[in-house]
Amino acid sequence: AEIASRHAGSTVFVVSHGGWIYTAVAACSDGRPVPHIRNVSVTTLRTTGGADTSWQVVEVGEVVASDDQTAASDGRNADLRPQ
């Protein structure tokens, strides 16, 4: 919440250990199971901003491809976006 409020309206890149990312995703997933989060993967959370600072899970554990590779998922990633 502090990062979101300090950078309102901006895109922020945060690097963290997978355990902290897992915890953040679990807090935003409405009790749904959280998939395995691979090393060096990208998990995207989005805040609606405002006083309530609610968060949405956009993507979990996506693998970003280099110039000569295709982006891939390990098949364990669940859709945790709001239904």
Side-chain angles (χ1 to χ4, degrees):
E2 179 183 337
I3 293 171
S5 65
R6 288 181 25 205
H7 301 281
S10 300
T11 298
V12 179
F13 179 77
V14 178
V15 178
S16 179
H17 185 277
W20 287 109
I21 295 169
Y22 180 94
T23 300
V25 170
C28 301
S29 67
D30 298 323
R32 289 175 280 172
V34 177
H36 171 75
I37 297 174
R38 296 175 61 176
N39 289 335
V40 197
S41 64
V42 176
T43 295
T44 305
L45 303 176
R46 179 176 294 137
T47 181
T48 57
D52 66 349
T53 315
S54 59
W55 291 85
Q56 291 180 319
V57 177
V58 178
E59 292 180 333
V60 177
E62 293 301 313
V63 177
V64 178
S66 65
D67 291 340
D68 60 350
Q69 295 176 330
T70 303
S73 171
D74 67 2
R76 295 183 282 184
N77 297 330
D79 185 357
L80 293 176
R81 292 174 286 187
Q83 303 298 322

